[in-house]
Amino acid sequence: MFISLNKKILYSILVFLFLITGLFFIIFINFYARNLQDRQNSLYLRNQYVVDLLYDNISLQKQLAQIYEKNPEISPVSRVNTVSQGINLTQKELSREQKLNAELQKNYNNNREALKVGAEILGFSLFIVILFIFLLIFMLDYWVIRPIEKLIEISRKVSLGIFSSRINIEKGRFQDEFDILYSAFNKMLDNTEYNIEETKARESFLQKLIDAIPDGIRVIDREYNVIMANTAFHNMLKLKKSCVGQKCYRAYNHSCEGCLQRQYACPIKELLQNSGDVSEHFHTIHEVGKRPLYLNATRLQWRNTPDDVYIVEAFHDLSNDIKFSHQQKISSLAFLSTSIAHEIKNNLGAIRMIFEGLLSSYYKDIPDTDDQKKYLLMAYNQLVETIKTPERLLRLVQYSENEETEIDIENTVKDILLMIDYEAKRHGISVKTQLEHNLKFKGNDADFKMIILNLTQNAIKAMPNGGNLILSTYMKNNNIFLDVKDTGTGISPDKLKHIFEPFYSANDSAKSSGLGLAIVSSLVEKMSGRITVKSKPDKGSTFTIRIPFGKNEKKRR
Ligand code: ADP
């Protein structure tokens, strides 16, 4: 049975009004009975007063009779008449008043009885009223308050983001507008939950889609919040994923004074603040942690409202491209130079053999002090040195042949120092070492020697007027470090950027090929290591090689 809520409320109000009217009626009766009782009381009191007066009158008459008795000169007839008349009159009056008094007494008793009954009715009515009030409260609670509380409860859950709860629609009770509201509310929750699930699924698809892109992507709103970013972006900037959605201004701070790399223009500033004046795209190159990143920022506006503007940044890591171009340069260089190097080495080798033949036969018994033999020896030594250049070039090709052995760093460094000892002494350079003992790793011995030789030779070249050359090796954070430090000419910052590039040489001399550091850097990378340099003009340079210490290798002490 359906009873409309309006009717329910109307009936409740009618009942309430009825009860209030009854209450007023009872109060009125009560008030009237009290008035009646007061009036009765006052009449009774007045009558009592009259009776008292009459008694006073009788006693006065009696006193008068006594006066007459004492004064015989008053005529007996008039005396008797006066007194008896007075007495009769008074007694008549007295009996009438007594009757009236009895009547009043009776009335009073009746009224008291009526009042008692009235009080009982009043008490009963009050009881009924309270009962009805409770009934009314129960009805209001059952029909209106509880359904509203149900709605409030569910709304609270929805506001907390719990969309899975529903309102339970009871079957046994009379249906009303609340039940229609409940079904509508439940349906609305069904739709909302479905939409949220759908949105989450789309968001996750979108996230996976942008995660699949190898370039770093991030979307920034006009408040500089990163609202979306892909895995490549996090990896490039070494950010934690939880950073997204919060205010993390890694690249630009809020005022956009702002970009961490101040030398670059901030795309947000360019694209948001000057919107309209500039093109929709912005290109720049950022250097993040020594890695050159190509940034292409685009303005995205999808609902045509001024606030609905986003910046989509795409970061492309250029280091791989640069490495690739280096490798390409080196491999084409290796390819071109191999044949030349072979040619030169073979020819020079043949000449060296001739020299050796001459020295071991014709000049065998001639003392070294002999001028001819001295010049021949000088030419021979120079030839041996010259042969090293094509050999170095040939190593560039050979290093790709992977032949790994256990390298004892201390011994290898000492071997190389023996090789450069003469050259160092010739230039007045003091060579010092701080080598950790028994530091070993798996790698290509020839490559490692090549690295140390190149770095030490460069250091010697940088100290033509003498200085200090210090070689140190140590372990730190599971990495092997080799420092080659000199107190030579140093390298200016503008040259420092290019020294690892093939064919780059700061020296104009014909001896400089500009290949040494390019080869060193390639060999270090081949060992999964890194080479860094710190240098100050006229103070000296330190080249540091870091080689990760492999899992299978153990440092033996
Ligand atoms: P090359 O020595 O043949 O010029 P490298 O690739 O070995 O080629 O070195 C590139 C340039 O780096 C050198 O020309 C030199 O100017 C600079 N360089 C390398 N090592 C040092 C050093 N220890 N001190 C100063 N300059 C150096």
Side-chain angles (χ1 to χ4, degrees):
M1 186 179 154
F2 182 84
I3 302 176
S4 96
L5 185 66
N6 292 344
K7 277 185 191 162
K8 280 179 191 168
I9 293 171
L10 196 70
Y11 292 157
S12 308
I13 290 169
L14 277 178
V15 169
F16 192 68
L17 277 179
F18 177 73
L19 291 176
I20 293 287
T21 314
L23 189 69
F24 269 105
F25 187 66
I26 288 162
I27 291 168
F28 176 75
I29 294 271
N30 187 23
F31 181 71
Y32 175 75
R34 184 172 289 178
N35 260 2
L36 206 70
Q37 192 182 11
D38 286 351
R39 221 169 55 221
Q40 189 77 28
N41 276 349
S42 62
L43 268 175
Y44 179 76
L45 284 174
R46 190 190 67 82
N47 211 31
Q48 199 65 37
Y49 179 66
V50 171
V51 168
D52 288 346
L53 275 179
L54 285 172
Y55 275 121
D56 287 351
N57 199 0
I58 288 171
S59 70
L60 277 175
Q61 289 289 340
K62 278 179 184 169
Q63 279 175 9
L64 192 65
Q66 282 170 359
I67 291 166
Y68 283 150
E69 238 175 79
K70 282 178 189 166
N71 300 301
E73 66 269 9
I74 302 165
S75 112
V77 179
S78 64
R79 265 195 263 165
V80 168
N81 281 348
T82 314
V83 170
S84 60
Q85 263 175 15
I87 289 172
N88 281 343
L89 207 70
T90 309
Q91 270 177 343
K92 251 190 203 168
E93 197 67 26
L94 189 62
S95 68
R96 207 166 61 88
E97 281 303 319
Q98 273 172 340
K99 263 190 207 164
L100 200 69
N101 216 3
E103 193 79 8
L104 277 173
Q105 186 69 37
K106 204 174 141 200
N107 273 357
Y108 177 71
N109 286 342
N110 286 346
N111 284 341
R112 255 191 76 195
E113 204 54 39
L115 273 178
K116 225 174 114 188
V117 172
E120 277 169 10
I121 290 171
L122 181 68
F124 184 69
S125 309
L126 269 177
F127 172 73
I128 297 287
V129 166
I130 289 166
L131 203 72
F132 273 116
I133 287 173
F134 273 113
L135 188 70
L136 184 71
I137 289 170
F138 172 76
M139 277 159 66
L140 271 176
D141 182 56
Y142 186 75
W143 293 114
V144 184
I145 294 169
R146 274 197 231 171
I148 288 177
E149 274 178 357
K150 261 191 190 181
L151 270 174
I152 291 171
E153 177 66 26
I154 207 84
S155 312
R156 201 172 289 146
K157 281 186 181 167
V158 170
S159 70
L160 291 173
I162 308 166
F163 292 95
S164 55
S165 33
R166 299 282 179 278
I167 306 173
N168 182 26
I169 302 171
E170 290 168 38
K171 293 271 176 253
R173 69 193 272 285
F174 298 127
Q175 302 286 296
D176 57 30
E177 283 88 343
F178 275 112
D179 294 276
I180 299 171
L181 191 66
Y182 289 169
S183 336
F185 206 84
N186 281 350
K187 201 159 203 134
M188 189 184 81
L189 283 176
D190 284 345
N191 290 339
T192 313
E193 201 179 5
Y194 174 78
N195 286 338
I196 288 171
E197 289 302 317
E198 192 72 0
T199 313
K200 274 187 191 163
R202 270 183 210 181
E203 259 178 30
S204 138
F205 173 72
L206 194 65
Q207 185 64 48
K208 282 188 179 140
L209 195 75
I210 66 163
D211 278 348
I213 299 171
D215 283 349
I217 307 279
R218 76 169 169 183
V219 185
I220 306 168
D221 67 12
R222 58 180 314 135
E223 294 297 313
Y224 301 84
N225 298 323
V226 178
I227 57 165
M228 200 172 204
N230 69 350
T231 312
F233 169 78
H234 288 111
N235 292 343
M236 272 179 193
L237 292 173
K238 296 199 169 46
L239 288 177
K240 283 188 189 151
K241 272 209 163 184
S242 59
C243 198
V244 177
Q246 295 164 19
K247 300 201 168 193
C248 40
Y249 312 113
R250 176 81 190 201
Y252 325 104
N253 74 12
H254 199 277
S255 61
C256 208
E257 296 234 312
C259 301
L260 277 186
Q261 292 77 33
R262 278 167 193 268
Q263 67 266 41
Y264 301 116
C266 173
I268 312 246
K269 200 174 191 171
E270 294 295 319
L271 292 173
L272 286 183
Q273 297 182 358
N274 308 325
S275 53
D277 305 344
V278 291
S279 79
E280 299 287 299
H281 294 276
F282 176 83
H283 311 268
T284 182
I285 291 183
H286 277 237
E287 208 171 78
V288 179
K290 301 250 173 193
R291 268 197 304 175
L293 298 181
Y294 172 76
L295 164 65
N296 181 14
T298 312
R299 189 147 58 101
L300 175 77
Q301 190 157 14
W302 92 61
R303 265 176 280 184
N304 258 348
T305 54
D307 289 339
D308 227 10
V309 182
Y310 299 89
I311 298 297
V312 181
E313 291 183 331
F315 292 87
H316 180 69
D317 191 346
L318 292 174
S319 38
N320 283 339
D321 298 4
I322 292 168
K323 209 191 284 176
F324 181 68
S325 100
H326 273 208
Q327 277 167 356
Q328 273 210 326
K329 273 185 195 173
I330 287 174
S331 63
S332 51
L333 158 82
F335 185 74
L336 282 169
S337 56
T338 311
S339 50
I340 304 167
H342 260 293
E343 240 1 78
I344 296 171
K345 194 183 159 227
N346 289 347
N347 292 336
L348 290 180
I351 300 169
R352 187 176 63 183
M353 279 166 70
I354 297 167
F355 268 100
E356 280 167 359
L358 278 173
L359 284 169
S360 61
S361 54
Y362 292 107
Y363 288 87
K364 193 182 170 196
D365 301 324
I366 297 170
D368 285 356
T369 46
D370 177 78
D371 272 354
Q372 263 193 11
K373 187 170 179 184
K374 214 161 67 188
Y375 291 129
L376 196 65
L377 275 171
M378 275 171 71
Y380 172 73
N381 286 338
Q382 205 59 46
L383 185 67
V384 171
E385 276 302 305
T386 317
I387 284 179
K388 284 181 186 168
T389 306
E391 271 177 355
R392 279 173 67 194
L393 274 173
L394 283 171
R395 285 216 56 81
L396 184 64
V397 190
Q398 281 164 8
Y399 76 71
S400 59
E401 287 161 17
N402 249 332
E403 203 184 280
E404 293 203 338
T405 51
E406 194 173 60
I407 300 171
D408 186 319
I409 300 177
E410 191 182 6
N411 289 342
T412 314
V413 171
K414 281 180 179 165
D415 283 353
I416 300 294
L417 290 184
L418 277 178
M419 285 165 75
I420 58 149
D421 191 47
Y422 169 74
E423 197 69 10
K425 279 187 183 139
R426 206 157 66 92
H427 289 99
I429 296 165
S430 116
V431 182
K432 289 175 193 154
T433 53
Q434 292 162 356
L435 305 173
E436 228 174 278
H437 301 305
N438 292 327
L439 201 55
K440 298 178 183 183
F441 76 102
K442 271 226 162 101
N444 188 301
D445 186 52
D447 287 351
F448 193 56
K449 278 184 178 154
M450 183 81 148
I451 292 169
I452 306 171
L453 191 65
N454 263 299
L455 293 178
T456 47
Q457 278 179 340
N458 277 350
I460 290 170
K461 272 193 248 168
M463 297 184 285
N465 304 319
N468 292 322
L469 170 63
I470 307 161
L471 278 100
S472 37
T473 57
Y474 52 97
M475 279 277 293
K476 202 170 137 191
N477 300 334
N478 221 26
N479 287 300
I480 296 171
F481 285 87
L482 166 70
D483 286 349
V484 180
K485 187 176 178 191
D486 66 63
T487 52
T489 52
I491 310 161
S492 61
D494 54 316
K495 289 177 182 163
L496 205 62
K497 286 185 221 161
H498 305 288
I499 55 168
F500 293 107
E501 290 171 13
F503 304 115
Y504 177 81
S505 174
N507 312 321
D508 298 330
S509 113
K511 278 188 187 172
S512 301
S513 64
L515 283 171
L517 287 180
I519 294 170
V520 166
S521 143
S522 296
L523 292 174
V524 172
E525 274 180 24
K526 200 179 141 199
M527 293 174 179
S528 314
R530 273 202 72 181
I531 179 162
T532 50
V533 56
K534 280 182 191 157
S535 187
K536 269 191 185 165
D538 300 328
K539 291 267 185 272
S541 318
T542 306
F543 285 80
T544 303
I545 288 165
R546 176 176 62 81
I547 302 166
F549 196 64
K551 279 181 194 158
N552 305 328
E553 295 152 350
K554 282 206 171 74
K555 189 185 160 222
R556 272 145 274 186
R557 286 174 181 277

mmCIF file of all heavy atoms in Angstrom, residues 454-455 458-459 461-462 486 489-491 499 501 504-507 511-518 541 543, ligand 1:
data_model
loop_
_atom_site.group_PDB
_atom_site.id
_atom_site.type_symbol
_atom_site.label_atom_id
_atom_site.label_comp_id
_atom_site.label_asym_id
_atom_site.label_seq_id
_atom_site.Cartn_x
_atom_site.Cartn_y
_atom_site.Cartn_z
ATOM 1 N N ASN A 454 97.743 5.879 -22.339
ATOM 2 C CA ASN A 454 97.282 7.123 -22.960
ATOM 3 C C ASN A 454 97.183 8.246 -21.956
ATOM 4 O O ASN A 454 97.620 9.375 -22.203
ATOM 5 C CB ASN A 454 95.906 6.903 -23.585
ATOM 6 C CG ASN A 454 96.033 6.612 -25.068
ATOM 7 O OD1 ASN A 454 96.535 7.435 -25.811
ATOM 8 N ND2 ASN A 454 95.600 5.437 -25.466
ATOM 9 N N LEU A 455 96.611 7.916 -20.783
ATOM 10 C CA LEU A 455 96.401 8.977 -19.785
ATOM 11 C C LEU A 455 97.740 9.463 -19.238
ATOM 12 O O LEU A 455 97.943 10.678 -19.064
ATOM 13 C CB LEU A 455 95.517 8.464 -18.642
ATOM 14 C CG LEU A 455 94.068 8.143 -19.020
ATOM 15 C CD1 LEU A 455 93.299 7.595 -17.817
ATOM 16 C CD2 LEU A 455 93.354 9.389 -19.556
ATOM 17 N N ASN A 458 99.542 11.537 -21.905
ATOM 18 C CA ASN A 458 98.944 12.884 -21.984
ATOM 19 C C ASN A 458 99.412 13.760 -20.833
ATOM 20 O O ASN A 458 99.695 14.943 -21.016
ATOM 21 C CB ASN A 458 97.414 12.783 -21.944
ATOM 22 C CG ASN A 458 96.834 12.478 -23.313
ATOM 23 O OD1 ASN A 458 97.551 12.517 -24.310
ATOM 24 N ND2 ASN A 458 95.549 12.165 -23.358
ATOM 25 N N ALA A 459 99.469 13.128 -19.631
ATOM 26 C CA ALA A 459 99.892 13.890 -18.448
ATOM 27 C C ALA A 459 101.327 14.371 -18.630
ATOM 28 O O ALA A 459 101.662 15.519 -18.313
ATOM 29 C CB ALA A 459 99.758 13.011 -17.208
ATOM 30 N N LYS A 461 102.840 14.902 -21.431
ATOM 31 C CA LYS A 461 102.841 15.967 -22.446
ATOM 32 C C LYS A 461 102.414 17.298 -21.843
ATOM 33 O O LYS A 461 102.845 18.367 -22.262
ATOM 34 C CB LYS A 461 101.867 15.605 -23.581
ATOM 35 C CG LYS A 461 102.514 14.769 -24.686
ATOM 36 C CD LYS A 461 101.602 14.743 -25.891
ATOM 37 C CE LYS A 461 101.036 13.357 -26.107
ATOM 38 N NZ LYS A 461 99.954 13.312 -27.075
ATOM 39 N N ALA A 462 101.525 17.212 -20.823
ATOM 40 C CA ALA A 462 101.002 18.446 -20.218
ATOM 41 C C ALA A 462 101.978 19.066 -19.229
ATOM 42 O O ALA A 462 101.715 20.141 -18.698
ATOM 43 C CB ALA A 462 99.681 18.138 -19.524
ATOM 44 N N ASP A 486 97.800 15.112 -12.659
ATOM 45 C CA ASP A 486 99.052 15.807 -12.994
ATOM 46 C C ASP A 486 98.963 17.265 -12.575
ATOM 47 O O ASP A 486 97.883 17.773 -12.270
ATOM 48 C CB ASP A 486 99.337 15.690 -14.504
ATOM 49 C CG ASP A 486 98.318 16.412 -15.342
ATOM 50 O OD1 ASP A 486 98.196 17.647 -15.233
ATOM 51 O OD2 ASP A 486 97.597 15.729 -16.120
ATOM 52 N N THR A 489 99.536 21.742 -17.507
ATOM 53 C CA THR A 489 98.939 22.975 -18.053
ATOM 54 C C THR A 489 97.456 23.104 -17.770
ATOM 55 O O THR A 489 96.908 24.208 -17.767
ATOM 56 C CB THR A 489 99.116 22.991 -19.584
ATOM 57 O OG1 THR A 489 98.612 21.753 -20.091
ATOM 58 C CG2 THR A 489 100.564 23.148 -19.991
ATOM 59 N N GLY A 490 96.787 21.956 -17.555
ATOM 60 C CA GLY A 490 95.335 21.987 -17.355
ATOM 61 C C GLY A 490 94.602 22.245 -18.666
ATOM 62 O O GLY A 490 95.219 22.467 -19.715
ATOM 63 N N ILE A 491 93.281 22.199 -18.585
ATOM 64 C CA ILE A 491 92.467 22.358 -19.808
ATOM 65 C C ILE A 491 91.390 23.411 -19.526
ATOM 66 O O ILE A 491 90.720 23.354 -18.488
ATOM 67 C CB ILE A 491 91.786 21.016 -20.198
ATOM 68 C CG1 ILE A 491 92.818 19.877 -20.210
ATOM 69 C CG2 ILE A 491 91.079 21.114 -21.532
ATOM 70 C CD1 ILE A 491 92.226 18.491 -20.132
ATOM 71 N N ILE A 499 87.296 17.230 -25.373
ATOM 72 C CA ILE A 499 88.520 16.412 -25.412
ATOM 73 C C ILE A 499 88.282 14.942 -25.695
ATOM 74 O O ILE A 499 89.177 14.254 -26.154
ATOM 75 C CB ILE A 499 89.383 16.562 -24.132
ATOM 76 C CG1 ILE A 499 88.549 16.242 -22.900
ATOM 77 C CG2 ILE A 499 90.009 17.935 -24.035
ATOM 78 C CD1 ILE A 499 89.405 16.093 -21.656
ATOM 79 N N GLU A 501 86.156 13.862 -27.868
ATOM 80 C CA GLU A 501 85.704 13.684 -29.249
ATOM 81 C C GLU A 501 86.876 13.220 -30.120
ATOM 82 O O GLU A 501 87.995 13.714 -29.968
ATOM 83 C CB GLU A 501 85.160 15.004 -29.809
ATOM 84 C CG GLU A 501 83.845 15.395 -29.169
ATOM 85 C CD GLU A 501 83.418 16.797 -29.544
ATOM 86 O OE1 GLU A 501 84.009 17.380 -30.487
ATOM 87 O OE2 GLU A 501 82.503 17.316 -28.885
ATOM 88 N N TYR A 504 89.818 15.469 -31.887
ATOM 89 C CA TYR A 504 89.930 16.784 -31.252
ATOM 90 C C TYR A 504 91.276 16.866 -30.547
ATOM 91 O O TYR A 504 91.605 16.027 -29.705
ATOM 92 C CB TYR A 504 88.801 17.035 -30.239
ATOM 93 C CG TYR A 504 88.983 18.374 -29.556
ATOM 94 C CD1 TYR A 504 88.584 19.547 -30.185
ATOM 95 C CD2 TYR A 504 89.632 18.454 -28.321
ATOM 96 C CE1 TYR A 504 88.814 20.777 -29.591
ATOM 97 C CE2 TYR A 504 89.855 19.678 -27.717
ATOM 98 C CZ TYR A 504 89.448 20.829 -28.360
ATOM 99 O OH TYR A 504 89.676 22.061 -27.788
ATOM 100 N N SER A 505 92.021 17.869 -30.902
ATOM 101 C CA SER A 505 93.302 18.057 -30.241
ATOM 102 C C SER A 505 93.501 19.533 -29.990
ATOM 103 O O SER A 505 93.267 20.355 -30.875
ATOM 104 C CB SER A 505 94.428 17.513 -31.132
ATOM 105 O OG SER A 505 95.656 17.830 -30.538
ATOM 106 N N ALA A 506 93.890 19.807 -28.744
ATOM 107 C CA ALA A 506 94.119 21.213 -28.422
ATOM 108 C C ALA A 506 95.499 21.655 -28.879
ATOM 109 O O ALA A 506 95.803 22.848 -28.921
ATOM 110 C CB ALA A 506 93.976 21.417 -26.918
ATOM 111 N N ASN A 507 96.307 20.683 -29.229
ATOM 112 C CA ASN A 507 97.664 21.029 -29.682
ATOM 113 C C ASN A 507 97.707 21.065 -31.206
ATOM 114 O O ASN A 507 97.081 20.241 -31.864
ATOM 115 C CB ASN A 507 98.679 19.987 -29.202
ATOM 116 C CG ASN A 507 98.507 19.690 -27.734
ATOM 117 O OD1 ASN A 507 98.241 20.605 -26.960
ATOM 118 N ND2 ASN A 507 98.621 18.430 -27.378
ATOM 119 N N LYS A 511 102.316 15.817 -34.008
ATOM 120 C CA LYS A 511 102.297 14.561 -33.259
ATOM 121 C C LYS A 511 100.912 14.247 -32.704
ATOM 122 O O LYS A 511 100.560 13.120 -32.449
ATOM 123 C CB LYS A 511 103.301 14.640 -32.102
ATOM 124 C CG LYS A 511 104.714 14.339 -32.514
ATOM 125 C CD LYS A 511 105.567 14.266 -31.261
ATOM 126 C CE LYS A 511 107.040 14.135 -31.608
ATOM 127 N NZ LYS A 511 107.866 14.249 -30.416
ATOM 128 N N SER A 512 100.114 15.311 -32.463
ATOM 129 C CA SER A 512 98.801 15.122 -31.850
ATOM 130 C C SER A 512 97.804 14.615 -32.886
ATOM 131 O O SER A 512 97.635 15.229 -33.930
ATOM 132 C CB SER A 512 98.294 16.447 -31.279
ATOM 133 O OG SER A 512 99.215 16.912 -30.341
ATOM 134 N N SER A 513 97.196 13.496 -32.549
ATOM 135 C CA SER A 513 96.197 12.945 -33.467
ATOM 136 C C SER A 513 94.786 13.244 -33.001
ATOM 137 O O SER A 513 93.839 13.165 -33.760
ATOM 138 C CB SER A 513 96.376 11.436 -33.556
ATOM 139 O OG SER A 513 96.125 10.862 -32.282
ATOM 140 N N GLY A 514 94.649 13.558 -31.693
ATOM 141 C CA GLY A 514 93.308 13.798 -31.159
ATOM 142 C C GLY A 514 92.525 12.500 -31.017
ATOM 143 O O GLY A 514 91.299 12.516 -30.913
ATOM 144 N N LEU A 515 93.249 11.391 -30.953
ATOM 145 C CA LEU A 515 92.567 10.090 -30.883
ATOM 146 C C LEU A 515 92.650 9.459 -29.501
ATOM 147 O O LEU A 515 91.771 8.694 -29.112
ATOM 148 C CB LEU A 515 93.201 9.113 -31.881
ATOM 149 C CG LEU A 515 92.811 9.312 -33.319
ATOM 150 C CD1 LEU A 515 93.664 8.427 -34.194
ATOM 151 C CD2 LEU A 515 91.352 8.989 -33.509
ATOM 152 N N GLY A 516 93.714 9.804 -28.777
ATOM 153 C CA GLY A 516 94.003 9.116 -27.511
ATOM 154 C C GLY A 516 92.788 9.036 -26.591
ATOM 155 O O GLY A 516 92.356 7.943 -26.201
ATOM 156 N N LEU A 517 92.213 10.189 -26.244
ATOM 157 C CA LEU A 517 91.112 10.180 -25.263
ATOM 158 C C LEU A 517 89.838 9.562 -25.836
ATOM 159 O O LEU A 517 89.059 8.971 -25.094
ATOM 160 C CB LEU A 517 90.837 11.598 -24.762
ATOM 161 C CG LEU A 517 91.907 12.138 -23.804
ATOM 162 C CD1 LEU A 517 91.565 13.556 -23.353
ATOM 163 C CD2 LEU A 517 92.056 11.249 -22.577
ATOM 164 N N ALA A 518 89.640 9.705 -27.167
ATOM 165 C CA ALA A 518 88.467 9.065 -27.784
ATOM 166 C C ALA A 518 88.572 7.552 -27.624
ATOM 167 O O ALA A 518 87.599 6.875 -27.279
ATOM 168 C CB ALA A 518 88.362 9.438 -29.255
ATOM 169 N N SER A 541 95.330 18.563 -14.107
ATOM 170 C CA SER A 541 94.094 17.831 -14.420
ATOM 171 C C SER A 541 94.088 16.504 -13.678
ATOM 172 O O SER A 541 95.140 15.953 -13.355
ATOM 173 C CB SER A 541 94.007 17.517 -15.915
ATOM 174 O OG SER A 541 94.417 18.609 -16.678
ATOM 175 N N PHE A 543 92.175 12.838 -14.303
ATOM 176 C CA PHE A 543 91.269 11.961 -15.050
ATOM 177 C C PHE A 543 90.909 10.798 -14.130
ATOM 178 O O PHE A 543 91.807 10.176 -13.538
ATOM 179 C CB PHE A 543 91.942 11.427 -16.324
ATOM 180 C CG PHE A 543 92.032 12.473 -17.400
ATOM 181 C CD1 PHE A 543 93.021 13.433 -17.381
ATOM 182 C CD2 PHE A 543 91.107 12.494 -18.435
ATOM 183 C CE1 PHE A 543 93.098 14.416 -18.375
ATOM 184 C CE2 PHE A 543 91.174 13.451 -19.423
ATOM 185 C CZ PHE A 543 92.175 14.426 -19.396
HETATM 186 P P1 ADP B 1 96.200 14.254 -28.513
HETATM 187 O O1 ADP B 1 96.906 14.079 -27.238
HETATM 188 O O2 ADP B 1 96.717 13.443 -29.629
HETATM 189 O O3 ADP B 1 95.975 15.676 -28.881
HETATM 190 P P2 ADP B 1 94.031 13.201 -26.986
HETATM 191 O O4 ADP B 1 92.704 12.752 -27.377
HETATM 192 O O5 ADP B 1 94.856 12.292 -26.187
HETATM 193 O O6 ADP B 1 94.736 13.687 -28.285
HETATM 194 O O7 ADP B 1 93.846 14.522 -26.162
HETATM 195 C C1 ADP B 1 92.998 15.535 -26.623
HETATM 196 C C2 ADP B 1 93.429 16.861 -26.067
HETATM 197 O O8 ADP B 1 93.169 16.878 -24.669
HETATM 198 C C3 ADP B 1 94.896 17.103 -26.122
HETATM 199 O O9 ADP B 1 95.203 17.780 -27.328
HETATM 200 C C4 ADP B 1 95.196 17.963 -24.923
HETATM 201 O O10 ADP B 1 95.070 19.341 -25.264
HETATM 202 C C5 ADP B 1 94.102 17.639 -23.972
HETATM 203 N N1 ADP B 1 94.626 16.851 -22.855
HETATM 204 C C6 ADP B 1 94.522 15.528 -22.681
HETATM 205 N N2 ADP B 1 95.054 15.141 -21.515
HETATM 206 C C7 ADP B 1 95.531 16.273 -20.925
HETATM 207 C C8 ADP B 1 96.177 16.568 -19.681
HETATM 208 N N3 ADP B 1 96.477 15.629 -18.805
HETATM 209 N N4 ADP B 1 96.481 17.864 -19.407
HETATM 210 C C9 ADP B 1 96.175 18.833 -20.266
HETATM 211 N N5 ADP B 1 95.546 18.629 -21.457
HETATM 212 C C10 ADP B 1 95.228 17.367 -21.780
#
